[in-house]
Amino acid sequence: MRLLEWQAKKLLFEWGLPVPKGAVLKRPAQLAQAVRKAGGFPVILKVQVYAGGRGKAGGIQKVANLAKGKTIAKDLLAKRLVTPQTGPEGVAVKSLLVEQGLTILKEFYVSVLIDRSRQMPVIVAAREGGMAIEELAKEHPEEILTTPFDPFLGLLSHQARRIVGWLGIPTEHREAATRQLVKLAKGFFSTDATLVEVNPWALTKELGMTALDGKITVDDNALYRYPALEKIKTADADTPSEAKSRVIGINYVGLNGTIGCMVNGAGLAMATMDLIKLHGGDPANFLDVGGGANAAQVREAFKLILADKNVKAVLVNIFGGIMKCDVIAQGIIEAAKSMRIKVPLVVRLEGTNVDAGRKMLKDSGLGFLTAGDMDEAAKKVVQAAKN
Amino acid sequence: MAILLDKNTKVLVQGITGKAGSFHASQMLSYGTQVVGGVTPGRGGTRWEGLPIFDTVAEAVAATQATATAIFVPAASGAEAILEAAEAGLSLIVVITEGIPVQDMLKVKTFLGARINPGTQLPVIIGPNCPGLITPGQAKIGIMPGYIHKPGPVGLVSRSGTLTYEAVWQLTQLGLGQSTCIGIGGDPLPGTGFVEVLERFEADPETKAVVLIGEIGGSAEEEAAAFIKKKLSKPVVAFVAGATAPKEKRMGHAGAVIAQGQGTHESKIKALKAAGAAVADNPAVIGRTLAQTLQKLQVQV
């Protein structure tokens, strides 16, 4: 799960990295109090959303007095922020971080993550802060330094010191910066993070080396170790449909198309989406019902898919291995009966007990469109969504 | 002869008394796998379906001479189950368990990489979060339906489960049997990557062609492409899932996510094509693409 900036900064502060003073607000009326916590004007207002590219989209504003601040806060909280990462529909802004305005002398970049090809944790540092690291990697790879380190020993002081020297941080700030990097790496492990990114990690006049922004992604598979985070995730880290899917125990990701998909297995689910696109359609979602789905989960999955009003047709693609096709067919029939599904439903079953499953669908009289293979199924559902 | 697994391999099941463990232990036995015992802490000395149960893997190995294990324990104890199996000297560790935290796997891999037991061979770990492996007609360690497979010359390696079944079924229906099929799993740090499996397929005289199924996230396909280009003499057909997957969203598998611009579909397809693999853009024609490739190259199978 991804943390919002203010949640990430709270952790960074606990780990021992300086962050600007500040407070979070959800209503413009809370501004005066938040400004006091931030130490008075000028302050920075920052929208709290999961997408990057907030600054260029107008989601970060400097404010010098209360009257203007309230207008801007009201405006930001009413808005759907559109950045290159959100898609054209944007994301709703639910809260703002109000922060002490600092004098920035120089900006750097630092992150900790697991390098999948090295199979080791690495700390990535860059001499240029504030821009997306993938862009910098393309344009100026020589400005980036990647240092692998041992997960049991953590980042060693001399490794951190070398990074700090390479970055060119002024001498009087080097030891503090070194300690911050060691703490950052330690924090990465203490939260089962998959990414901790401080961008910019800035030298400020007021606080020395400071985390001006923070992005932390925690491994979903490790959330059971952090009950407090698990609550946040279900409450607001996902879209409502994604949160619901977690409760039901299936994997769901909402997309912008018109063809709902229900598939067993993540790889097959992605391949099914790709196939729909290949035949000229647009998938409305990724949905993996899992290897051992039962009739109740199939019904809940249909509910999730059909809650999306853009859905014009649904494709069910099941390769029954351990999950038997007749059991799945039963689940589909029960769901279709109890929910009165109004959009066309294309069902492709293959695998264990496939003949029994296909016969049940045919005999149900519910008008399912069936297909012998996934190619035919995708073509049929694309056609059905157009009608 | 296939790779890693045959009908003589003696297999343990860790978590044999659990729901998934016991169900799949029976399925493996009926396919012909030599399941010789199980491990469930606290149940040592009892029996499951006539097979002995042990408290520890070391005891099980001493009593049964098993060389392989299938792990079905809950995710929170997954890492420890792997380390226990490695310490007991098993050479093939198949981790079916889904949801093991990536930092746990990181520590497992670092720990084993340090070779704490000098002189012992490092185990081959397949998974976690995988369907396992099967040498058709001989044995399977995992959860795949056995009947869709058929013995033959095609080696298959994949990051997926049901998509692998789909591809296998296409091959079988076209009369193209398989030497060994391996699902390496959908996690960010798999015990075994594509390259290690491809090395074994290259060395296996019975494997005449390879099907590789990848997906978005990480750089395993790019690394596989580099190996294919330099070292693999056998024809390869590849499919990569996730052309339509949005960025920064985890697509079911923990490892299937495009993060910080890394792991895109385009990058993988480009690398595989440049390496000379026949890339199927349609998952429904993986089998046909292989048949055509073999025909074009006039490979007899």
Side-chain angles (χ1 to χ4, degrees), chain B:
Chain B
M1 84 159 231
I3 66 169
L4 290 167
L5 171 68
D6 63 28
K7 59 180 189 296
N8 300 316
T9 310
K10 288 184 176 167
V11 182
L12 296 174
V13 174
Q14 284 168 265
I16 197 166
T17 53
K19 193 178 159 211
S22 60
F23 176 77
H24 291 293
S26 333
Q27 296 279 317
M28 286 189 252
L29 277 167
S30 45
Y31 193 74
T33 310
Q34 285 203 42
V35 179
V36 294
V39 176
T40 299
R43 300 273 194 97
T46 61
R47 298 186 91 79
W48 173 87
E49 303 278 314
L51 293 176
I53 300 180
F54 303 88
D55 281 326
T56 66
V57 179
E59 288 166 323
V61 170
T64 64
Q65 280 81 52
T67 57
T69 180
I71 294 181
F72 285 94
V73 305
S77 25
E80 186 165 346
I82 298 169
L83 290 172
E84 188 188 351
E87 203 175 295
L90 294 177
S91 56
L92 177 62
I93 300 172
V94 183
V95 194
I96 307 302
T97 303
E98 178 179 357
I100 298 178
V102 64
Q103 290 197 4
D104 289 11
M105 275 313 287
L106 178 68
K107 287 177 178 161
V108 165
K109 298 207 78 165
T110 309
F111 187 68
L112 293 179
R115 290 174 187 263
I116 47 145
N117 297 326
T120 54
Q121 189 70 31
L122 278 179
V124 173
I125 301 172
I126 306 289
N129 190 13
C130 78
L133 75 165
I134 180 167
T135 294
Q138 298 198 45
K140 69 166 189 164
I141 304 179
I143 59 174
M144 67 292 283
Y147 77 92
I148 60 172
H149 301 80
K150 164 187 153 94
V154 183
L156 191 147
V157 60
S158 168
R159 282 169 68 187
S160 167
T162 46
L163 180 56
T164 311
Y165 310 162
E166 172 74 39
V168 166
W169 185 236
Q170 289 175 22
L171 293 171
T172 296
Q173 286 189 308
L174 290 167
L176 294 164
Q178 306 92 40
S179 54
T180 301
C181 302
I182 302 187
I184 60 172
D187 277 0
L189 291 183
T192 296
F194 281 135
V195 172
E196 293 99 318
V197 175
L198 293 177
E199 277 170 355
R200 289 177 189 269
F201 280 144
E202 175 65 15
D204 174 33
E206 284 184 17
T207 301
K208 304 274 194 262
V210 174
V211 171
L212 181 146
I213 298 173
E215 62 191 31
I216 53 154
S219 55
E221 291 75 10
E222 286 87 339
E223 286 148 26
F227 179 85
I228 290 167
K229 197 168 186 177
K230 282 200 199 112
K231 305 224 173 108
L232 195 70
S233 63
K234 303 173 182 182
V236 181
V237 165
F239 175 79
V240 179
T244 49
K247 287 181 181 170
E248 302 287 340
K249 282 280 186 182
R250 190 171 107 150
M251 306 303 281
H253 288 156
V257 55
I258 300 168
Q260 300 198 306
Q262 298 288 304
T264 64
H265 187 260
E266 304 84 78
S267 154
K268 295 172 187 304
I269 295 294
K270 199 174 141 198
L272 287 163
K273 280 189 174 158
V279 176
D281 59 353
N282 178 338
V285 300
I286 298 169
R288 247 181 290 160
T289 308
L290 181 67
Q292 285 160 1
T293 305
L294 294 177
Q295 202 174 27
K296 204 164 74 185
L297 298 172
Q298 297 184 321
V299 177
Q300 294 295 321
V301 294

Side-chain angles (χ1 to χ4, degrees), chain A residues 2 85 109 111 113-121 133-134 150-152 188-195 197 215 219-222 224-225 237-239 242 251 253-255 263-275 277-279 283 286 288 317 319-322 324 348 350-354 373-375, chain B residues 23-24 27 75-77 98-104 106-111 140 143-145 147-148 159-163 165-167 169-170 173 186-191 215-219 223 239-246 248-257 260-262 265 281-285 288:
Chain A
R2 291 183 285 178
Q85 289 183 20
Y109 168 99
S111 66
L113 66 152
I114 293 170
D115 183 318
R116 289 167 64 167
S117 53
R118 281 193 181 91
Q119 309 207 327
M120 283 186 82
I133 191 71
E134 54 262 42
D150 185 282
F152 290 103
F188 175 82
F189 288 104
S190 71
T191 45
D192 268 284
T194 55
L195 173 71
E197 185 181 72
K215 185 174 170 186
D219 184 355
D220 285 328
N221 286 341
Y224 69 92
R225 291 172 181 154
D238 297 318
T239 65
E242 286 168 11
N251 283 305
V253 176
L255 302 165
V263 188
N264 65 332
L268 191 60
M270 274 190 275
T272 304
M273 286 161 46
D274 297 349
L275 193 51
K277 186 88 180 173
L278 200 68
H279 289 306
F286 164 92
D288 166 16
N317 184 16
F319 200 104
I322 303 315
K324 295 183 180 65
R348 182 271 178 143
E350 190 55 82
T352 312
N353 296 357
V354 64
D373 64 32
M374 63 192 273
D375 213 25
Chain B
F23 176 77
H24 291 293
Q27 296 279 317
S77 25
E98 178 179 357
I100 298 178
V102 64
Q103 290 197 4
D104 289 11
L106 178 68
K107 287 177 178 161
V108 165
K109 298 207 78 165
T110 309
F111 187 68
K140 69 166 189 164
I143 59 174
M144 67 292 283
Y147 77 92
I148 60 172
R159 282 169 68 187
S160 167
T162 46
L163 180 56
Y165 310 162
E166 172 74 39
W169 185 236
Q170 289 175 22
Q173 286 189 308
D187 277 0
L189 291 183
E215 62 191 31
I216 53 154
S219 55
E223 286 148 26
F239 175 79
V240 179
T244 49
E248 302 287 340
K249 282 280 186 182
R250 190 171 107 150
M251 306 303 281
H253 288 156
V257 55
Q260 300 198 306
Q262 298 288 304
H265 187 260
D281 59 353
N282 178 338
V285 300
R288 247 181 290 160

Side-chain angles (χ1 to χ4, degrees), chain A residues 188-251:
Chain A
F188 175 82
F189 288 104
S190 71
T191 45
D192 268 284
T194 55
L195 173 71
V196 172
E197 185 181 72
V198 179
N199 184 24
W201 185 39
L203 179 59
T204 65
K205 206 170 129 191
E206 295 83 355
L207 298 174
M209 289 305 294
T210 311
L212 286 192
D213 196 355
K215 185 174 170 186
I216 295 179
T217 308
V218 178
D219 184 355
D220 285 328
N221 286 341
L223 278 182
Y224 69 92
R225 291 172 181 154
Y226 312 95
L229 288 181
E230 197 149 25
K231 262 183 237 155
I232 298 175
K233 173 146 181 116
T234 314
D236 62 15
D238 297 318
T239 65
S241 298
E242 286 168 11
K244 180 100 194 292
S245 74
R246 281 168 51 77
V247 177
I248 309 165
I250 59 181
N251 283 305

